[in-house]
Amino acid sequence: MSDPYPASGGATATAAPPSGANGDYYLPVGLPMPAPSPEGLGAEFWDAVKRHELLVQRCNACQAFQWGPEYVCNECHSFDLGYARVSGRGRIFSWERAWYPVHPALKDALPYIVVLVELPDAGNVRMVGNLLGDRRQEVVIGAEVEAVFEDHNDGKVPYTLVQWRRTG
Amino acid sequence: MTERSIRGKTAIAGIGETRYYKRGAAPDPEFKLTLEAIMLAAEDAGIDVREIDGLASFSNDRNDPPRIASALGMKHIGFSNMFWGGGGGGGSGAVANAAAAVAAGYCDVAVAYRGLAQGQFGRFGQGPQMAAAPGGMAFTAPYGLMSPAQSFAMRVQRFMHDNGVEQDALKAVALASYHHAQKNPRAVMHGRPLSAEDYDNSRWIVEPFHLFDCCQENDGAAAIIITSAERARDLKHKPAYILGAAQGSDYRQAATAHNAPDYGTSNFKTLAPRLYAMAGVGPEDVDVLQSYENFTGGVMMSIVEHGFCKPEETNDFFTIENFSAPSGKLPLNTSGGNLAECYMHGLELITEAVKQLRGTSPNQLENVHVSMVTSGPMVQPVSNLILCSEPHA
Ligand SMILES: [Zn+2]
């Protein structure tokens, strides 16, 4: 059987032990868990990250990447969309350090860093995640990062988040 | 072919505002505040409130036109309209939609209004408290990216990086609003001056936004009466002619998970040229600017994208001197705006733009001819407006 998610450019994401392996997550338990849209859009992505695979939506007609998932290719308007397995290699496109608890679960986790990461192996689409490590570290736009899969297996419904750590 | 434009065809004839309150401090329900503002606006125009036959609002306003029209005994409704989208993106758009309806003959006297009692409903600054974040939210909320401040800080950070902008540029926007509020007795922050040191020492909400880079949360209501230019000339006040208006959004700005191709933007790049083209003026003709501050960084990008300075000139242009009435190069948010007068979702910016043309601003400039408003940077869609003392530039 052929691979349902053809790999694109470079190795797949590092499956090194995530920081959350022992329930030691970057952000505390209690934040909303990720879910597909009510119609199921995004389900393949959230299933794949549980297997520590990073997928990005890709048009089967014109090969354009797009993110987040949508029902139509914004480039060629084909409805024939699939997912490609991409490397976990990324580059910090923007960032922010949050100091205000926008959710009660965050009040003992301040500050924390949110990064917007572009994926050069997937048409520079961007993903949001947390930057692992020192919460007060200097964050450099353009810095190289790699995906880290943070498994949340202690709840009723297991899920995995995609986090990022500096490589360069 | 006739010119497809509303330039000079309509004017703002009346403005009405309730007292502005801190969040939760309004003694009246939101709907009652809304009625009060509409009645004040009609009275200001010298028009019987029952004559209003068009109603327009924005940001999913809870106070719907049929209830308002029934409560006030309006003779009929000829036009009722909601500008799509959240935040303050539709402030200018609601006025422009009302103006377009008047110009097209749907109604004769329209009101653009906003009632907002944040103390009586949910707050904007908190994330959703739900077990699961579905769809697009799944890509942000589990990572603690949940509030408007956080969504927009990410865009502003990128703009600052691309153009070498320093924190002082954002500070200048905050200082200007607080400076102007000190001469405005209606401002919630009247009597609460802000110094550069206060700003520097204030806590971070989310870098690069300090506390004072973020708008207030307030209760109140505001309303604006729009009618034909001909009718406005016979009413109580000098008309504020609507010279130009634009609304909309740039290419794929609402792409999920922060994937808008042009990212460090206020979303005005395709609107600004359309606004100036309709009005027949350029940024060099603008005497005074009211620019929606959800966050100071949005004001920064709005000012740049409307051509008041080049991106690489931001550090030099963004000074308290340039933004101060009456003598600054570009007097900005001269009532105190969302930061220091009241967060009435930017409708208070439009009433202030009218006051500058009438000569009744708390920080009045001399000889105001062109008075401009930008509404709702970084949301989708956004809008803007140019008002003028004459029906042509
Ligand atoms: Zn395609």
Side-chain angles (χ1 to χ4, degrees):
Chain A
M1 206 178 104
S2 65
D3 185 343
Y5 302 118
S8 164
T12 52
T14 321
S19 69
N22 305 308
D24 176 24
Y25 311 128
Y26 183 77
L27 294 178
V29 171
L31 289 173
M33 62 172 279
S37 78
E39 308 89 351
L41 202 55
E44 293 94 331
F45 174 83
W46 292 113
D47 287 343
V49 292
K50 281 190 258 184
R51 304 187 304 267
H52 293 192
E53 290 178 356
L54 193 62
L55 303 187
V56 171
Q57 199 176 36
R58 190 172 201 184
C59 176
N60 289 325
C62 79
Q63 307 300 310
F65 290 98
Q66 69 179 10
W67 198 249
E70 190 43 279
Y71 287 110
V72 68
C73 169
N74 78 80
E75 293 282 347
C76 77
H77 300 166
S78 171
F79 290 106
D80 183 15
L81 295 167
Y83 282 84
R85 196 164 67 239
V86 303
S87 86
R89 196 165 74 83
R91 207 161 42 213
I92 296 176
F93 184 80
S94 193
W95 67 280
E96 62 192 11
R97 194 178 344 254
W99 295 82
Y100 175 80
V102 294
H103 189 285
L106 291 165
K107 66 181 193 316
D108 296 322
L110 304 169
Y112 60 94
I113 299 170
V114 185
V115 282
L116 182 59
V117 173
E118 59 179 354
L119 307 183
D121 297 327
N124 287 329
V125 299
R126 303 178 203 131
M127 291 187 180
V128 170
N130 299 118
L131 183 64
L132 302 181
D134 184 353
R135 290 158 181 265
R136 294 174 192 248
Q137 68 185 283
E138 187 191 352
V139 187
V140 179
I141 289 179
E144 305 280 325
V145 290
E146 67 178 357
V148 175
F149 295 99
E150 185 184 275
D151 295 320
H152 290 239
N153 291 327
D154 44 1
K156 261 187 265 178
V157 184
Y159 63 92
T160 295
L161 298 179
V162 183
Q163 305 288 28
W164 302 90
R165 73 174 158 216
R166 287 285 302 268
T167 51
Chain B
M1 187 177 133
T2 54
E3 183 195 34
R4 292 190 299 147
S5 170
I6 61 166
R7 172 173 37 205
K9 291 177 180 167
T10 64
I12 294 174
I15 53 176
E17 297 162 282
T18 65
R19 191 183 146 192
Y20 291 145
Y21 303 90
K22 284 186 172 302
R23 186 184 69 86
D28 293 319
E30 186 181 84
F31 186 70
K32 190 174 170 189
L33 294 167
T34 307
L35 296 177
E36 186 189 342
I38 293 172
M39 292 165 75
L40 287 168
E43 187 186 332
D44 181 64
I47 290 177
D48 188 326
V49 73
R50 295 173 193 82
E51 261 196 72
I52 294 172
D53 59 351
L55 301 102
S57 190
F58 60 102
S59 202
N60 305 310
D61 193 286
R62 286 173 284 258
N63 309 287
D64 78 272
R67 184 179 173 198
I68 292 170
S70 299
L72 293 175
M74 293 174 184
K75 290 172 195 161
H76 73 278
I77 297 176
F79 178 75
S80 63
N81 172 267
M82 171 61 73
F83 186 98
W84 285 90
S92 291
V95 171
N97 287 348
V102 169
Y106 286 99
C107 56
D108 292 321
V109 178
V111 63
Y113 65 93
R114 182 79 178 109
L116 186 61
Q118 294 202 56
Q120 296 164 21
F121 299 93
R123 302 180 68 173
F124 291 114
Q126 287 284 323
Q129 290 176 36
M130 45 173 61
M137 245 194 299
F139 302 116
T140 55
Y143 305 98
L145 198 171
M146 308 172 96
S147 70
Q150 295 174 327
S151 295
F152 301 141
M154 199 76 101
R155 285 186 183 255
V156 170
Q157 183 87 268
R158 181 71 202 196
F159 178 93
M160 292 173 80
H161 169 82
D162 286 342
N163 298 293
V165 177
E166 314 269 338
Q167 190 76 34
D168 281 358
L170 304 188
K171 175 162 58 178
V173 173
L175 292 180
S177 290
Y178 272 81
H179 173 67
H180 291 138
Q182 303 319 309
K183 284 196 182 169
N184 179 5
R186 289 183 45 80
V188 173
M189 293 300 173
H190 182 247
R192 301 266 309 274
L194 178 72
S195 70
E197 294 70 37
D198 294 336
Y199 175 93
D200 292 338
N201 294 332
S202 68
R203 60 192 168 94
W204 289 114
I205 298 299
V206 52
E207 294 174 48
F209 297 155
H210 284 274
L211 173 66
F212 293 109
D213 292 301
C214 307
C215 59
Q216 311 176 71
E217 297 178 287
N218 297 105
D219 294 354
I224 291 170
I225 301 284
I226 299 104
T227 190
S228 68
E230 295 73 29
R231 173 123 192 229
R233 272 192 276 278
D234 298 330
L235 294 171
K236 272 165 65 179
H237 292 286
K238 193 172 123 181
Y241 293 98
I242 295 173
L243 217 55
Q247 55 179 268
S249 196
D250 299 343
Y251 177 64
R252 299 195 69 231
Q253 279 298 308
T256 39
H258 292 245
N259 275 272
D262 182 13
Y263 186 70
T265 172
S266 62
N267 197 18
F268 278 112
K269 286 182 185 169
T270 57
L271 275 79
R274 288 191 279 124
L275 173 71
Y276 290 132
M278 183 186 287
V281 303
E284 66 281 3
D285 302 310
V286 174
D287 296 311
V288 59
L289 175 67
Q290 315 300 325
S291 182
Y292 189 98
E293 329 104 296
N294 34 17
F295 305 97
T296 54
V299 177
M300 171 179 67
M301 298 189 292
S302 301
I303 286 176
V304 169
E305 288 168 23
H306 283 88
F308 293 104
C309 74
K310 295 193 173 72
E312 62 272 22
E313 296 166 346
T314 304
N315 289 326
D316 291 335
F317 189 75
F318 278 61
T319 63
I320 179 70
E321 291 75 23
N322 280 350
F323 292 152
S324 292
S327 53
K329 274 187 197 161
L330 182 66
L332 175 71
N333 298 338
T334 49
S335 67
N338 285 330
L339 295 183
E341 185 188 34
C342 172
Y343 183 66
M344 198 35 56
H345 255 165
L347 214 55
E348 88 290 350
L349 298 173
I350 303 176
T351 58
E352 171 63 11
V354 172
K355 288 173 194 171
Q356 284 286 358
L357 287 168
R358 288 182 178 181
T360 58
S361 163
N363 290 280
Q364 185 61 47
L365 277 65
E366 278 180 42
N367 301 321
V368 176
H369 183 50
V370 177
S371 186
M372 178 164 147
V373 184
T374 65
S375 299
M378 305 181 282
V379 298
Q380 310 91 30
V382 295
S383 57
N384 52 20
L385 191 64
I386 288 180
L387 305 175
C388 188
S389 56
E390 303 292 334
H392 47 77

